[in-house]
Amino acid sequence: MSLLVVGSVAFDSIRTPHGQADEILGGAATYFSVAASWFTPVRMVAVVGEDFGERHLRVFSDRSIDTAGLERAAGKTFRWRGEYKGDMNEAHTLETHLNVFEQFAPKIPSAYLESEYVFLGNIDPVLQLHVRRQLPQARLVALDSMNYWIDGKHAELMKALAAVHVLVINESEARMLSGHSNLRRAAVAIQKMGPRILVVKRGEYGANLFTEGSIFSAPGLPLEEVQDPTGAGDTFAGGLMGHLAQTGDLSEANLRRAVIYGSVMASFAVEEFGLGRLLRLNPQMIGDRFQQFKNLAHFDA
Amino acid sequence: MSLLVVGSVAFDSIRTPHGQADEILGGAATYFSVAASWFTPVRMVAVVGEDFGERHLRVFSDRSIDTAGLERAAGKTFRWRGEYKGDMNEAHTLETHLNVFEQFAPKIPSAYLESEYVFLGNIDPVLQLHVRRQLPQARLVALDSMNYWIDGKHAELMKALAAVHVLVINESEARMLSGHSNLRRAAVAIQKMGPRILVVKRGEYGANLFTEGSIFSAPGLPLEEVQDPTGAGDTFAGGLMGHLAQTGDLSEANLRRAVIYGSVMASFAVEEFGLGRLLRLNPQMIGDRFQQFKNLAHFDA
């Protein structure tokens, strides 16, 4: 079924202990779309500048991602420069140039208005709510956010949260948003804000899914080498929402599988710089890695 | 089957955000024994001072823990004072008085020499190796260690590691011991040092089991309240080794169950200060919590 993502498209310059890359295609909507495209057709609403060329566009068209909602504005595309050190658990931002993203006002093409599955990437909660209100009949709306908005636009974020079904967020931000350091208490508090489904991303430790009355813990796959963690969280969300949109099944069992598919896609993403690994996948590889997660987590009573 | 533990018995004074306790019974061998006693008969080799009274001894005898190897020495029992702050991931040691533990020279009663399952708690690796050599026919010997020995007695620790089957260690110490920040590489390096089975404790994130050709990830159970993390690691080891000694089954499937039983016992331990929760258990509670871990980790393909 139709999956719509609203978020950033960027050029990233990244340095990690394993190497560096300059001005490679990135951004939340990019990672999300490419990951989700292995499961279901994806529609993207984002903005790029005049420097966004045919070869960049081809990355999306090669994955059959619908870019009718990809606006081209006068100016330059969003640029981010960051670095990861040591165990690479945290990105250190060196430079951010919002460029055309600064004035981003998401325009939803009319053909997108019937989208059933929606991911509101990490942007200003005012814009997230604006988009949400244009899609009143969406079956499942998920939202990502971050410390910047939790701190700076708290009231606006609360309104956006009250209007969505799923929050996908980092562990530290779940604690910050809820004011509880205990994750279980944090989850209860966040579910009261609106989203009945909470997915907490814990980096190399995996992810937790909190639904009504149930908690699921997805393991992190110990990888031999993590080259570049950039985009892992959005890739995770792409696998999660892609699987849900593909199956149309919102049962507890299928939500759990979706968290594993998100983990599968994120585990691929970090193996190479940028989108590299995500573009060279096939359904067999995705299925095999799902089975690796199954082997990793399985035990008998 | 018979399970022998060598380690510390102490009086702990603990402060956490949830309260404090003074001079309560603790120490690695204590937590290990009490946890393991829910699975199998336990024999303890440790040392206490003249201040160790009948009521302390009764904690062990009430759990049918064999204290023939608990030496009473002239002087005071080992004392530790520590504090946990914030999310309680780390103990801050305020005072350590080794007292009689400083001259601890483990004496294995002859009746213990046929012990099949052995846990060498976190003590000087010279002593660990000395004990190990007295138990040549043991079926499974596990060892715990810490940064202090990894740094200060590296060569001695290497000799002890070469002589055991299992290493149970914290994540940060696995990295330190191996020199690899990547956990999978760390595991390969540690397995080459001797122990073919490596169990990495990751606190609230659970634990990983590395065997030949297989990795298992046990989840951490999100608890509503963690009162006091003291002894959680030794309690984990007690549940793990207790289950293995009880079943005598060293298959991959049973090792995985053992890691879950370790996690089950640790999840109880942290719910109250000191041994409180571990002393008020019953087999039904342990079984129910095992099922909670199963529900937490389960997903279908």
Side-chain angles (χ1 to χ4, degrees):
Chain A
M1 278 173 254
S2 51
L3 174 58
L4 169 65
V5 56
V6 182
S8 60
V9 171
F11 291 127
D12 292 337
S13 297
I14 303 157
R15 186 193 299 263
T16 84
H18 299 280
Q20 66 176 86
D22 285 310
E23 305 234 324
I24 57 173
L25 182 55
T30 300
Y31 281 102
F32 180 95
S33 300
V34 171
S37 74
W38 290 101
F39 299 86
T40 199
V42 183
R43 300 153 165 184
M44 176 193 272
V45 171
V47 63
V48 292
E50 293 152 324
D51 52 358
F52 198 84
E54 269 308 311
R55 67 187 176 98
H56 300 121
L57 215 50
R58 211 172 304 123
V59 172
F60 298 132
S61 56
D62 283 352
R63 294 295 319 139
S64 303
I65 294 163
D66 183 338
T67 53
L70 182 64
E71 179 189 351
R72 190 177 294 256
K76 293 176 81 176
T77 300
F78 181 10
R79 271 166 176 75
W80 178 78
R81 179 182 296 277
E83 190 172 9
Y84 300 85
K85 292 177 181 171
D87 58 5
M88 297 196 287
N89 278 328
E90 204 188 343
H92 301 276
T93 293
L94 303 175
E95 281 180 58
T96 302
H97 300 288
L98 292 175
N99 299 330
V100 298
F101 194 65
E102 192 159 11
Q103 301 298 325
F104 181 43
K107 294 165 198 70
I108 314 295
S110 58
Y112 288 9
L113 292 175
E114 42 68 53
S115 300
E116 290 187 84
Y117 294 81
V118 178
F119 184 68
L120 305 171
N122 173 22
I123 58 174
D124 187 328
V126 173
L127 300 178
Q128 290 176 318
L129 187 60
H130 177 71
V131 170
R132 171 66 180 106
R133 287 191 172 146
Q134 293 175 66
L135 304 158
Q137 79 284 49
R139 189 158 175 235
L140 193 77
V141 181
L143 179 150
D144 184 16
S145 194
M146 69 185 293
N147 48 7
Y148 184 79
W149 308 118
I150 295 170
D151 242 6
K153 294 220 174 174
H154 197 264
E156 294 83 353
L157 179 58
M158 287 297 122
K159 281 186 201 164
L161 282 174
V164 301
H165 309 101
V166 185
L167 175 64
V168 183
I169 198 167
N170 287 334
E171 183 176 7
S172 61
E173 288 158 354
R175 295 196 157 112
M176 184 181 175
L177 174 63
S178 65
H180 290 283
S181 65
N182 179 290
L183 197 58
R184 197 158 161 174
R185 286 167 191 248
V188 170
I190 290 171
Q191 285 171 315
K192 282 186 185 152
M193 296 173 189
R196 285 171 311 141
I197 299 168
L198 170 65
V199 182
V200 178
K201 298 176 285 183
R202 308 178 99 178
E204 64 168 316
Y205 298 108
N208 277 10
L209 166 71
F210 296 87
T211 54
E212 277 158 303
S214 177
I215 309 178
F216 171 56
S217 177
L221 186 69
L223 294 165
E224 267 183 41
E225 191 160 290
V226 173
Q227 289 262 351
D228 170 21
T230 308
D234 298 300
T235 302
F236 172 90
L240 175 95
M241 291 296 287
H243 175 74
L244 292 175
Q246 178 187 31
T247 56
D249 173 2
L250 301 182
S251 68
E252 169 76 25
N254 202 48
L255 286 168
R256 290 180 172 219
R257 276 189 290 271
V259 170
I260 297 296
Y261 277 113
S263 308
V264 162
M265 300 311 284
S267 77
F268 283 123
V270 302
E271 289 185 328
E272 291 181 21
F273 275 77
L275 295 168
R277 190 73 189 87
L278 290 180
L279 295 173
R280 284 186 297 94
L281 291 174
N282 62 48
Q284 172 81 43
M285 289 175 189
I286 294 170
D288 287 350
R289 191 152 291 188
F290 187 98
Q291 189 55 45
Q292 268 186 272
F293 273 87
K294 187 80 190 148
N295 296 343
L296 180 67
H298 182 76
F299 64 94
D300 298 307
Chain B
M1 279 173 254
S2 51
L3 174 59
L4 169 65
V5 55
V6 181
S8 60
V9 170
F11 291 128
D12 294 336
S13 296
I14 303 157
R15 187 193 297 262
T16 84
H18 298 281
Q20 66 177 85
D22 286 309
E23 305 235 323
I24 57 172
L25 182 55
T30 301
Y31 281 101
F32 181 95
S33 301
V34 171
S37 73
W38 291 101
F39 298 85
T40 199
V42 184
R43 299 154 165 186
M44 176 194 271
V45 171
V47 63
V48 292
E50 293 153 325
D51 52 358
F52 198 85
E54 270 309 311
R55 68 188 176 97
H56 301 121
L57 214 51
R58 209 173 304 122
V59 172
F60 298 131
S61 57
D62 283 353
R63 293 295 318 138
S64 302
I65 294 163
D66 183 340
T67 52
L70 182 64
E71 179 191 351
R72 190 177 295 254
K76 293 176 81 176
T77 300
F78 182 12
R79 272 166 174 75
W80 177 79
R81 179 182 294 278
E83 189 171 8
Y84 300 85
K85 291 176 179 171
D87 58 7
M88 297 197 285
N89 279 327
E90 204 187 344
H92 301 276
T93 292
L94 303 175
E95 280 180 62
T96 303
H97 299 287
L98 292 176
N99 300 329
V100 296
F101 194 64
E102 193 160 11
Q103 301 298 326
F104 181 42
K107 294 165 198 67
I108 314 295
S110 58
Y112 288 9
L113 292 176
E114 42 67 54
S115 299
E116 290 188 83
Y117 294 82
V118 177
F119 184 69
L120 304 171
N122 173 21
I123 58 174
D124 187 329
V126 173
L127 299 179
Q128 290 177 319
L129 186 59
H130 176 71
V131 171
R132 171 65 180 108
R133 287 191 171 145
Q134 293 175 67
L135 306 158
Q137 79 284 48
R139 190 159 175 233
L140 193 77
V141 180
L143 180 151
D144 184 15
S145 195
M146 69 185 293
N147 48 7
Y148 183 77
W149 308 117
I150 296 170
D151 243 5
K153 293 220 175 176
H154 197 264
E156 293 83 354
L157 179 57
M158 286 298 121
K159 281 187 201 164
L161 282 174
V164 301
H165 309 100
V166 185
L167 175 65
V168 182
I169 198 167
N170 286 334
E171 183 175 7
S172 61
E173 288 157 353
R175 295 197 157 109
M176 183 180 178
L177 175 62
S178 65
H180 290 283
S181 65
N182 179 291
L183 196 59
R184 199 157 157 175
R185 287 168 190 249
V188 170
I190 290 170
Q191 284 171 316
K192 282 185 186 152
M193 296 171 189
R196 287 171 310 140
I197 299 168
L198 170 66
V199 182
V200 178
K201 298 175 286 182
R202 309 178 96 178
E204 65 168 314
Y205 298 107
N208 278 10
L209 165 71
F210 296 86
T211 54
E212 277 160 303
S214 177
I215 308 176
F216 171 55
S217 176
L221 185 69
L223 295 165
E224 266 182 44
E225 191 159 289
V226 173
Q227 288 262 353
D228 171 18
T230 307
D234 297 300
T235 303
F236 172 89
L240 175 96
M241 291 296 287
H243 175 73
L244 292 176
Q246 179 186 33
T247 56
D249 173 1
L250 300 182
S251 67
E252 169 75 25
N254 201 48
L255 286 169
R256 290 180 173 217
R257 275 189 290 272
V259 170
I260 297 297
Y261 277 113
S263 308
V264 161
M265 300 310 286
S267 77
F268 283 123
V270 302
E271 289 184 331
E272 291 182 21
F273 275 75
L275 294 168
R277 189 72 187 89
L278 290 179
L279 295 173
R280 283 187 297 95
L281 291 175
N282 63 48
Q284 171 82 44
M285 290 176 188
I286 293 170
D288 287 351
R289 190 151 291 187
F290 187 97
Q291 189 55 47
Q292 268 186 274
F293 273 87
K294 187 80 191 148
N295 296 343
L296 180 66
H298 182 77
F299 63 95
D300 297 307

